[in-house]
Coordinates of all heavy atoms in Angstrom, one line a residue:
M1 N -7.5 9.6 8.8 CA -8.7 8.7 8.7 C -9.7 9.0 9.8 O -9.4 9.2 11.0 CB -8.2 7.3 8.8 CG -9.3 6.3 8.7 SD -8.8 4.7 8.7 CE -8.8 4.3 10.4
S2 N -10.9 9.1 9.5 CA -12.0 9.4 10.5 C -12.3 8.1 11.2 O -12.2 7.1 10.7 CB -13.2 10.0 9.8 OG -13.8 9.0 9.0
P3 N -12.8 8.3 12.5 CA -13.1 7.1 13.3 C -14.2 6.3 12.7 O -14.3 5.1 13.0 CB -13.6 7.7 14.6 CG -13.2 9.1 14.7 CD -12.9 9.5 13.2
K4 N -15.1 6.9 11.9 CA -16.2 6.2 11.2 C -15.7 5.2 10.2 O -16.4 4.3 9.7 CB -17.0 7.2 10.5 CG -17.8 8.1 11.4 CD -18.6 9.1 10.7 CE -19.1 10.2 11.6 NZ -19.8 11.3 10.9
R5 N -14.4 5.3 9.7 CA -13.9 4.5 8.7 C -13.0 3.4 9.2 O -11.9 3.2 8.6 CB -13.3 5.3 7.6 CG -14.3 6.3 7.0 CD -13.9 7.0 5.8 NE -13.7 6.0 4.8 CZ -13.0 6.3 3.7 NH1 -12.5 7.5 3.5 NH2 -12.8 5.4 2.7
K6 N -13.2 2.8 10.2 CA -12.3 1.8 10.8 C -12.0 0.7 9.9 O -10.9 0.1 9.9 CB -12.8 1.2 12.1 CG -12.8 2.2 13.3 CD -13.2 1.5 14.5 CE -13.2 2.5 15.6 NZ -13.7 1.9 16.9
N7 N -12.9 0.2 9.1 CA -12.7 -0.9 8.2 C -12.2 -0.7 6.8 O -12.4 -1.4 5.9 CB -14.1 -1.7 8.2 CG -14.4 -2.3 9.5 OD1 -13.6 -2.6 10.3 ND2 -15.7 -2.3 9.8
I8 N -11.6 0.5 6.6 CA -11.1 0.8 5.3 C -10.0 -0.2 4.9 O -9.3 -0.5 5.7 CB -10.6 2.3 5.4 CG1 -10.3 2.8 3.9 CG2 -9.5 2.5 6.3 CD1 -10.0 4.3 3.8
E9 N -10.1 -0.6 3.7 CA -9.0 -1.4 3.1 C -7.7 -0.8 3.1 O -7.6 0.5 2.9 CB -9.4 -1.9 1.8 CG -10.7 -2.8 1.7 CD -11.0 -3.4 0.4 OE1 -10.1 -3.4 -0.5 OE2 -12.2 -3.8 0.2
L10 N -6.7 -1.6 3.2 CA -5.3 -1.1 3.2 C -5.0 -0.2 2.0 O -4.5 0.9 2.0 CB -4.3 -2.3 3.2 CG -2.8 -1.9 3.0 CD1 -2.3 -0.9 4.1 CD2 -2.0 -3.2 3.1
I11 N -5.4 -0.7 0.8 CA -5.0 0.1 -0.4 C -5.8 1.4 -0.5 O -5.2 2.4 -0.9 CB -5.3 -0.8 -1.7 CG1 -4.6 -0.2 -2.9 CG2 -6.8 -1.0 -2.0 CD1 -3.1 -0.5 -3.0
E12 N -7.0 1.4 0.0 CA -7.7 2.7 0.1 C -7.2 3.6 1.1 O -7.1 4.8 0.9 CB -9.2 2.4 0.5 CG -10.0 1.7 -0.6 CD -11.4 1.2 -0.2 OE1 -11.6 1.1 1.1 OE2 -12.2 0.8 -1.1
L13 N -6.7 3.1 2.2 CA -6.1 3.9 3.2 C -4.8 4.6 2.7 O -4.5 5.7 2.9 CB -5.8 3.1 4.5 CG -5.0 3.9 5.6 CD1 -5.9 5.0 6.2 CD2 -4.7 2.9 6.8
L14 N -4.0 3.8 2.0 CA -2.8 4.3 1.4 C -3.1 5.4 0.4 O -2.4 6.4 0.4 CB -2.0 3.2 0.8 CG -1.3 2.1 1.7 CD1 -0.8 1.0 0.9 CD2 -0.3 2.8 2.6
A15 N -4.1 5.2 -0.4 CA -4.4 6.2 -1.4 C -4.9 7.5 -0.7 O -4.5 8.6 -1.0 CB -5.5 5.7 -2.3
E16 N -5.7 7.3 0.4 CA -6.2 8.5 1.1 C -5.1 9.3 1.8 O -4.9 10.4 1.7 CB -7.2 8.0 2.1 CG -7.9 9.0 2.9 CD -8.9 8.5 4.0 OE1 -10.0 8.1 3.5 OE2 -8.6 8.5 5.2
Q17 N -4.2 8.6 2.5 CA -3.0 9.2 3.2 C -2.1 9.8 2.2 O -1.4 10.8 2.6 CB -2.4 8.1 4.1 CG -3.2 7.8 5.3 CD -2.5 6.9 6.2 OE1 -1.5 6.3 5.9 NE2 -3.1 6.6 7.4
A18 N -1.9 9.2 1.0 CA -1.0 9.8 0.0 C -1.6 11.0 -0.7 O -1.0 11.7 -1.5 CB -0.5 8.7 -0.9
G19 N -2.9 11.2 -0.5 CA -3.6 12.4 -1.1 C -4.0 12.1 -2.5 O -4.1 13.1 -3.4
C20 N -4.2 10.8 -2.9 CA -4.6 10.5 -4.3 C -6.1 10.8 -4.4 O -6.9 10.5 -3.6 CB -4.4 9.0 -4.5 SG -2.7 8.5 -4.3
T21 N -6.4 11.3 -5.6 CA -7.8 11.5 -6.0 C -8.5 10.1 -6.4 O -9.6 9.9 -6.0 CB -7.9 12.5 -7.2 OG1 -7.2 13.6 -6.9 CG2 -9.3 12.7 -7.6
Y22 N -7.7 9.3 -7.0 CA -8.1 8.0 -7.4 C -7.2 7.0 -7.0 O -6.1 7.2 -6.8 CB -8.2 7.9 -9.0 CG -9.1 9.0 -9.6 CD1 -8.5 10.1 -10.2 CD2 -10.5 8.8 -9.5 CE1 -9.4 11.1 -10.7 CE2 -11.3 9.8 -10.1 CZ -10.8 10.9 -10.7 OH -11.6 11.9 -11.2
L23 N -7.7 5.8 -6.7 CA -6.9 4.6 -6.2 C -5.8 4.4 -7.2 O -4.6 4.2 -6.8 CB -7.8 3.4 -6.0 CG -7.2 2.2 -5.4 CD1 -6.8 2.5 -4.0 CD2 -8.2 1.0 -5.4
S24 N -6.0 4.5 -8.5 CA -5.0 4.2 -9.5 C -3.8 5.2 -9.4 O -2.8 5.0 -10.0 CB -5.6 4.1 -10.9 OG -6.2 5.4 -11.2
D25 N -4.1 6.4 -8.9 CA -3.0 7.4 -8.7 C -1.8 6.8 -7.9 O -0.7 7.3 -8.1 CB -3.5 8.7 -8.0 CG -4.5 9.5 -8.9 OD1 -4.6 9.1 -10.1 OD2 -5.1 10.4 -8.4
L26 N -2.1 5.9 -7.1 CA -1.0 5.3 -6.3 C 0.1 4.8 -7.2 O 1.3 4.7 -6.7 CB -1.5 4.2 -5.3 CG -2.1 4.6 -4.0 CD1 -2.7 3.4 -3.3 CD2 -1.1 5.3 -3.1
R27 N -0.2 4.4 -8.3 CA 0.8 3.8 -9.3 C 1.6 4.9 -9.9 O 2.6 4.6 -10.6 CB 0.1 3.0 -10.3 CG -0.6 1.7 -9.7 CD -1.3 1.0 -10.8 NE -1.8 -0.2 -10.3 CZ -2.6 -1.1 -11.1 NH1 -3.0 -0.7 -12.3 NH2 -3.1 -2.2 -10.6
L28 N 1.2 6.1 -9.8 CA 2.0 7.2 -10.5 C 3.2 7.6 -9.8 O 3.2 7.7 -8.6 CB 1.0 8.5 -10.7 CG -0.3 8.2 -11.5 CD1 -1.1 9.4 -11.4 CD2 0.0 7.8 -12.9
E29 N 4.1 8.0 -10.6 CA 5.4 8.5 -10.0 C 5.3 9.6 -9.0 O 6.0 9.7 -8.0 CB 6.4 8.8 -11.1 CG 7.8 9.1 -10.7 CD 8.8 9.3 -11.8 OE1 8.4 9.0 -13.0 OE2 9.8 9.9 -11.6
D30 N 4.4 10.5 -9.3 CA 4.2 11.7 -8.5 C 3.8 11.4 -7.0 O 4.0 12.2 -6.1 CB 3.0 12.5 -9.1 CG 3.4 13.1 -10.5 OD1 4.5 13.1 -10.8 OD2 2.4 13.6 -11.0
Y31 N 3.3 10.2 -6.8 CA 2.8 9.8 -5.5 C 3.7 8.8 -4.8 O 3.6 8.4 -3.6 CB 1.5 9.2 -5.6 CG 0.4 10.2 -5.9 CD1 0.0 10.4 -7.2 CD2 -0.2 11.0 -4.9 CE1 -1.0 11.3 -7.5 CE2 -1.2 11.9 -5.2 CZ -1.5 12.2 -6.5 OH -2.5 13.1 -6.9
R32 N 4.9 8.4 -5.4 CA 5.7 7.5 -4.8 C 6.4 7.9 -3.5 O 6.4 7.1 -2.5 CB 6.8 7.1 -5.8 CG 6.3 6.2 -6.9 CD 7.5 5.6 -7.7 NE 6.8 4.9 -8.7 CZ 7.3 5.0 -10.0 NH1 8.3 5.7 -10.3 NH2 6.7 4.3 -11.0
C33 N 6.8 9.1 -3.4 CA 7.4 9.6 -2.1 C 6.4 9.7 -1.0 O 6.6 9.3 0.1 CB 8.0 11.0 -2.3 SG 9.6 11.0 -3.1
R34 N 5.2 10.1 -1.4 CA 4.1 10.1 -0.3 C 3.7 8.7 0.1 O 3.6 8.5 1.3 CB 2.8 10.8 -0.9 CG 3.0 12.3 -1.2 CD 1.7 12.8 -1.6 NE 1.9 14.1 -2.4 CZ 0.9 14.7 -2.9 NH1 -0.3 14.2 -2.9 NH2 1.2 15.9 -3.6
L35 N 3.7 7.8 -0.9 CA 3.3 6.4 -0.5 C 4.4 5.8 0.4 O 4.1 5.2 1.3 CB 3.1 5.6 -1.8 CG 2.9 4.1 -1.6 CD1 1.7 3.8 -0.8 CD2 2.8 3.4 -3.0
E36 N 5.7 6.1 0.1 CA 6.7 5.6 0.8 C 6.6 6.1 2.3 O 6.8 5.3 3.2 CB 8.1 6.0 0.2 CG 9.2 5.4 1.0 CD 10.6 5.8 0.3 OE1 10.6 6.4 -0.7 OE2 11.6 5.4 0.9
G37 N 6.3 7.4 2.4 CA 6.2 7.9 3.7 C 5.1 7.3 4.5 O 5.1 7.0 5.7
C38 N 3.9 7.1 3.9 CA 2.8 6.3 4.5 C 3.2 5.0 5.0 O 2.8 4.6 6.1 CB 1.6 6.3 3.6 SG 0.9 7.9 3.0
L39 N 3.9 4.3 4.1 CA 4.2 2.9 4.5 C 5.3 2.9 5.7 O 5.2 1.9 6.5 CB 4.9 2.2 3.3 CG 3.9 1.8 2.2 CD1 4.6 1.5 0.9 CD2 3.0 0.6 2.7
Q40 N 6.1 3.8 5.7 CA 7.1 3.9 6.9 C 6.5 4.1 8.1 O 6.9 3.7 9.2 CB 8.1 5.0 6.5 CG 9.0 4.8 5.3 CD 10.0 3.7 5.5 OE1 10.2 3.1 6.5 NE2 10.6 3.3 4.4
K41 N 5.3 4.9 8.1 CA 4.6 5.3 9.4 C 3.6 4.2 9.8 O 3.2 4.1 10.9 CB 3.9 6.6 9.3 CG 4.9 7.8 9.0 CD 4.0 9.0 8.8 CE 4.8 10.1 8.2 NZ 4.0 11.3 7.7
M42 N 3.2 3.4 8.9 CA 2.0 2.5 9.1 C 2.4 1.3 10.0 O 3.5 0.7 9.8 CB 1.5 2.0 7.8 CG 0.3 1.1 8.0 SD -0.4 0.7 6.4 CE -1.3 2.3 6.1
D43 N 1.5 1.0 10.9 CA 1.7 -0.2 11.7 C 1.4 -1.4 10.8 O 0.2 -1.6 10.5 CB 0.7 -0.2 12.9 CG 0.7 -1.4 13.8 OD1 1.6 -2.2 13.6 OD2 -0.2 -1.5 14.6
I44 N 2.4 -2.2 10.6 CA 2.2 -3.3 9.7 C 1.2 -4.4 10.2 O 0.5 -5.1 9.4 CB 3.5 -4.1 9.4 CG1 3.4 -5.0 8.1 CG2 4.0 -4.8 10.6 CD1 4.8 -5.4 7.6
E45 N 1.0 -4.4 11.5 CA 0.0 -5.3 12.1 C -1.4 -4.9 12.0 O -2.4 -5.7 12.3 CB 0.3 -5.5 13.6 CG 1.8 -6.1 13.8 CD 1.9 -7.5 13.2 OE1 1.0 -8.3 13.1 OE2 3.0 -7.8 12.6
R46 N -1.7 -3.7 11.5 CA -3.1 -3.3 11.4 C -3.9 -4.1 10.4 O -5.1 -4.1 10.5 CB -3.0 -1.8 11.0 CG -4.3 -1.1 10.9 CD -4.2 0.4 10.7 NE -5.5 0.9 10.5 CZ -5.7 2.2 10.3 NH1 -4.7 3.0 10.2 NH2 -6.9 2.6 10.2
Y47 N -3.2 -4.6 9.4 CA -3.9 -5.4 8.4 C -3.2 -6.8 8.2 O -2.1 -7.0 8.6 CB -3.7 -4.7 7.0 CG -4.5 -3.4 6.9 CD1 -4.0 -2.2 7.2 CD2 -5.9 -3.5 6.6 CE1 -4.7 -1.0 7.2 CE2 -6.6 -2.3 6.6 CZ -6.0 -1.1 6.8 OH -6.8 0.0 6.8
G48 N -4.1 -7.7 7.8 CA -3.6 -9.1 7.6 C -2.8 -9.4 6.4 O -2.5 -8.6 5.5
E49 N -2.3 -10.6 6.4 CA -1.3 -11.1 5.3 C -2.1 -10.9 4.0 O -1.4 -10.4 3.0 CB -1.0 -12.5 5.5 CG -0.4 -12.9 6.9 CD 1.1 -12.5 6.9 OE1 1.7 -12.3 5.9 OE2 1.6 -12.5 8.0
E50 N -3.3 -11.4 3.8 CA -3.9 -11.3 2.5 C -4.1 -9.8 2.0 O -3.9 -9.6 0.9 CB -5.4 -12.0 2.7 CG -6.1 -11.9 1.4 CD -5.6 -12.9 0.3 OE1 -4.8 -13.8 0.6 OE2 -5.9 -12.6 -0.9
E51 N -4.4 -9.0 2.9 CA -4.6 -7.6 2.5 C -3.3 -7.0 2.0 O -3.3 -6.2 1.0 CB -5.3 -6.7 3.6 CG -5.7 -5.4 3.1 CD -7.1 -5.1 3.5 OE1 -7.7 -5.7 4.5 OE2 -7.7 -4.2 2.9
W52 N -2.2 -7.2 2.8 CA -0.9 -6.8 2.3 C -0.5 -7.3 1.0 O 0.0 -6.7 0.1 CB 0.1 -7.1 3.3 CG 0.2 -6.1 4.5 CD1 -0.3 -6.2 5.7 CD2 0.8 -4.8 4.4 NE1 -0.1 -5.1 6.4 CE2 0.6 -4.2 5.7 CE3 1.5 -4.1 3.5 CZ2 1.1 -2.9 6.0 CZ3 2.0 -2.8 3.7 CH2 1.7 -2.2 5.0
A53 N -0.9 -8.7 0.8 CA -0.5 -9.3 -0.4 C -1.2 -8.7 -1.6 O -0.7 -8.5 -2.7 CB -0.8 -10.9 -0.3
E54 N -2.5 -8.4 -1.4 CA -3.4 -7.7 -2.4 C -2.8 -6.4 -2.7 O -2.7 -6.0 -4.0 CB -4.8 -7.6 -1.9 CG -5.6 -9.0 -2.0 CD -7.0 -8.8 -1.4 OE1 -7.5 -7.7 -1.3 OE2 -7.5 -9.8 -1.1
A55 N -2.4 -5.6 -1.7 CA -1.9 -4.2 -2.0 C -0.6 -4.4 -2.8 O -0.4 -3.6 -3.8 CB -1.7 -3.5 -0.7
A56 N 0.3 -5.3 -2.4 CA 1.5 -5.5 -3.1 C 1.3 -5.9 -4.6 O 2.0 -5.5 -5.5 CB 2.5 -6.5 -2.4
N57 N 0.4 -6.8 -4.7 CA 0.0 -7.2 -6.1 C -0.4 -6.1 -6.9 O 0.0 -5.9 -8.1 CB -1.0 -8.4 -6.0 CG -1.6 -8.7 -7.3 OD1 -2.7 -8.2 -7.7 ND2 -0.9 -9.4 -8.1
Y58 N -1.3 -5.3 -6.4 CA -1.9 -4.2 -7.1 C -0.8 -3.1 -7.5 O -0.8 -2.7 -8.6 CB -3.0 -3.5 -6.3 CG -3.6 -2.3 -7.0 CD1 -4.5 -2.5 -8.0 CD2 -3.3 -1.0 -6.6 CE1 -5.1 -1.4 -8.6 CE2 -3.8 0.1 -7.3 CZ -4.7 -0.1 -8.3 OH -5.3 1.0 -8.9
L59 N 0.1 -2.9 -6.6 CA 1.1 -1.8 -6.8 C 2.4 -2.3 -7.5 O 3.0 -1.5 -8.1 CB 1.5 -1.2 -5.4 CG 0.3 -0.4 -4.8 CD1 0.6 0.0 -3.4 CD2 -0.1 0.8 -5.6
T60 N 2.7 -3.5 -7.4 CA 3.9 -4.0 -8.0 C 3.7 -5.1 -9.1 O 4.7 -5.2 -9.8 CB 4.8 -4.6 -6.9 OG1 4.3 -5.9 -6.5 CG2 5.1 -3.8 -5.7
G61 N 2.5 -5.6 -9.2 CA 2.3 -6.7 -10.2 C 2.8 -8.1 -9.7 O 2.7 -9.0 -10.5
T62 N 3.4 -8.2 -8.5 CA 3.9 -9.4 -8.1 C 2.7 -10.3 -7.7 O 1.8 -9.9 -7.0 CB 4.7 -9.3 -6.8 OG1 5.8 -8.3 -7.0 CG2 5.3 -10.6 -6.3
P63 N 2.6 -11.6 -8.3 CA 1.5 -12.4 -8.0 C 1.4 -12.7 -6.5 O 2.4 -12.8 -5.8 CB 1.8 -13.8 -8.7 CG 2.8 -13.3 -9.7 CD 3.5 -12.1 -9.2
K64 N 0.2 -12.6 -6.0 CA -0.1 -12.8 -4.5 C 0.5 -14.1 -3.9 O 0.9 -14.1 -2.9 CB -1.6 -12.8 -4.2 CG -2.2 -11.4 -4.4 CD -3.6 -11.3 -3.8 CE -4.6 -12.2 -4.6 NZ -6.0 -12.0 -4.2
E65 N 0.5 -15.2 -4.8 CA 1.0 -16.4 -4.4 C 2.5 -16.4 -4.1 O 3.0 -17.2 -3.4 CB 0.8 -17.5 -5.5 CG -0.7 -17.7 -5.9 CD -1.2 -16.6 -6.8 OE1 -0.4 -16.1 -7.7 OE2 -2.3 -16.2 -6.7
E66 N 3.2 -15.4 -4.6 CA 4.6 -15.3 -4.4 C 4.9 -14.3 -3.2 O 6.1 -14.2 -2.8 CB 5.3 -14.7 -5.6 CG 5.2 -15.6 -6.8 CD 5.9 -15.0 -8.0 OE1 6.7 -14.0 -7.9 OE2 5.6 -15.5 -9.1
I67 N 4.0 -13.9 -2.5 CA 4.1 -13.0 -1.4 C 3.7 -13.7 -0.1 O 2.5 -14.1 0.1 CB 3.2 -11.7 -1.6 CG1 3.6 -11.0 -2.8 CG2 3.4 -10.8 -0.3 CD1 2.7 -9.9 -3.2
A68 N 4.7 -14.1 0.7 CA 4.4 -14.9 1.9 C 4.1 -14.2 3.1 O 3.4 -14.7 4.0 CB 5.7 -15.8 2.1
T69 N 4.6 -13.0 3.3 CA 4.4 -12.3 4.6 C 4.0 -10.8 4.4 O 4.3 -10.3 3.2 CB 5.7 -12.4 5.5 OG1 6.7 -11.6 4.8 CG2 6.1 -13.8 5.7
K70 N 3.6 -10.2 5.4 CA 3.3 -8.7 5.4 C 4.6 -8.0 5.2 O 4.6 -7.0 4.5 CB 2.8 -8.4 6.8 CG 1.5 -8.9 7.2 CD 1.1 -8.5 8.6 CE 0.0 -9.3 9.2 NZ -0.4 -8.9 10.5
V71 N 5.6 -8.4 5.9 CA 6.9 -7.8 5.7 C 7.4 -7.8 4.3 O 7.9 -6.8 3.8 CB 8.0 -8.4 6.7 CG1 9.4 -7.9 6.4 CG2 7.6 -8.2 8.2
Q72 N 7.3 -8.9 3.6 CA 7.7 -9.0 2.3 C 6.9 -8.1 1.4 O 7.4 -7.5 0.5 CB 7.6 -10.5 1.8 CG 8.0 -10.6 0.4 CD 7.7 -12.0 -0.2 OE1 7.0 -12.8 0.4 NE2 8.3 -12.4 -1.4
A73 N 5.5 -8.1 1.6 CA 4.7 -7.3 0.8 C 5.0 -5.8 1.0 O 5.2 -5.1 0.0 CB 3.2 -7.5 1.3
R74 N 5.3 -5.3 2.2 CA 5.6 -3.9 2.4 C 7.0 -3.6 1.7 O 7.2 -2.6 1.1 CB 5.6 -3.6 3.9 CG 6.0 -2.1 4.1 CD 5.6 -1.6 5.4 NE 6.6 -1.8 6.4 CZ 6.6 -1.4 7.6 NH1 5.5 -0.7 8.1 NH2 7.6 -1.6 8.5
R75 N 7.9 -4.6 1.9 CA 9.2 -4.4 1.3 C 9.2 -4.2 -0.3 O 9.7 -3.4 -0.9 CB 10.2 -5.6 1.6 CG 11.6 -5.4 1.0 CD 12.5 -6.5 1.4 NE 11.9 -7.8 1.2 CZ 11.8 -8.5 0.1 NH1 12.1 -7.9 -1.1 NH2 11.2 -9.7 0.0
L76 N 8.3 -5.1 -0.8 CA 8.1 -5.0 -2.4 C 7.5 -3.6 -2.8 O 7.9 -3.0 -3.8 CB 7.1 -6.1 -2.8 CG 7.7 -7.5 -2.8 CD1 6.6 -8.6 -3.0 CD2 8.7 -7.7 -4.0
I77 N 6.6 -3.2 -2.0 CA 6.0 -1.9 -2.4 C 7.0 -0.7 -2.2 O 7.1 0.1 -3.0 CB 4.7 -1.6 -1.5 CG1 3.7 -2.7 -1.7 CG2 4.2 -0.2 -1.8 CD1 2.5 -2.6 -0.7
L78 N 7.8 -0.8 -1.1 CA 8.8 0.2 -0.8 C 9.9 0.1 -1.9 O 10.3 1.2 -2.4 CB 9.4 0.0 0.5 CG 8.6 0.4 1.7 CD1 9.3 0.0 3.0 CD2 8.4 2.0 1.7
E79 N 10.2 -1.0 -2.4 CA 11.2 -1.1 -3.5 C 10.6 -0.5 -4.8 O 11.4 0.2 -5.5 CB 11.6 -2.6 -3.7 CG 12.4 -3.2 -2.7 CD 12.7 -4.7 -2.8 OE1 12.2 -5.3 -3.8 OE2 13.4 -5.2 -2.0
K80 N 9.3 -0.7 -5.0 CA 8.7 -0.1 -6.2 C 8.7 1.4 -6.1 O 8.9 2.1 -7.1 CB 7.3 -0.7 -6.3 CG 6.5 -0.1 -7.4 CD 7.0 -0.7 -8.8 CE 6.1 -0.3 -9.9 NZ 6.5 -0.8 -11.2
C81 N 8.5 1.9 -4.9 CA 8.5 3.4 -4.7 C 9.9 4.0 -5.0 O 9.9 5.1 -5.5 CB 8.1 3.7 -3.2 SG 6.5 3.4 -2.8
R82 N 10.9 3.3 -4.7 CA 12.3 3.8 -4.8 C 12.9 3.6 -6.2 O 13.9 4.1 -6.6 CB 13.2 3.1 -3.8 CG 12.8 3.5 -2.4 CD 13.5 2.7 -1.4 NE 13.0 3.1 0.0 CZ 13.0 2.2 1.0 NH1 13.6 1.0 0.9 NH2 12.6 2.6 2.2
K83 N 12.2 2.8 -7.1 CA 12.6 2.5 -8.4 C 12.1 3.4 -9.4 O 11.2 4.2 -9.2 CB 12.2 1.1 -8.9 CG 13.0 0.0 -8.3 CD 12.6 -1.3 -8.9 CE 13.3 -2.5 -8.3 NZ 12.8 -3.8 -8.8
E84 N 12.5 3.3 -10.6 CA 12.1 3.9 -11.8 C 12.2 5.4 -11.7 O 12.0 6.4 -11.4 CB 10.6 3.5 -12.2 CG 10.6 2.0 -12.4 CD 9.2 1.5 -12.5 OE1 8.2 2.3 -12.6 OE2 9.0 0.4 -12.3

């Protein structure tokens, strides 16, 4: 990530770090290992609860209202990466 892009959204950062051409590529099986690696390295405190909930909702389909914490959101995404 370049210093000019400090305010990049979590989901956009994940797509960029995973090498996705499109944001929707994050949902593809081909990118699951890369996404998992990005999540393992990422500082969970870099983004707020809402942004983690939005990312987990987008990637897993879990309603945001059911995601209480950043840790839970990251866990849901990691579980999705390891499934299917």
Side-chain angles (χ1 to χ4, degrees):
M1 183 177 87
S2 71
K4 296 176 188 173
R5 299 188 65 195
K6 285 184 181 177
N7 296 327
I8 187 170
E9 290 184 23
L10 172 59
I11 197 76
E12 292 172 340
L13 179 63
L14 290 171
E16 184 178 285
Q17 289 183 347
C20 298
T21 303
Y22 303 102
L23 190 63
S24 59
D25 290 348
L26 276 174
R27 295 178 173 173
L28 300 175
E29 188 175 344
D30 294 349
Y31 290 93
R32 287 194 185 133
C33 284
R34 293 183 198 175
L35 176 57
E36 183 177 357
C38 295
L39 287 166
Q40 295 290 352
K41 295 176 196 171
M42 182 172 285
D43 176 14
I44 198 167
E45 296 303 322
R46 184 172 178 181
Y47 290 95
E49 304 282 344
E50 180 67 22
E51 194 134 14
W52 276 102
E54 287 177 16
N57 169 258
Y58 180 76
L59 294 168
T60 70
T62 304
K64 289 192 294 184
E65 302 78 37
E66 294 179 17
I67 304 168
T69 66
K70 299 173 191 184
V71 172
Q72 180 188 12
R74 183 161 88 174
R75 182 180 45 78
L76 286 167
I77 299 168
L78 286 169
E79 287 173 0
K80 180 72 174 182
C81 287
R82 295 173 183 150
K83 281 185 183 176
E84 300 167 16

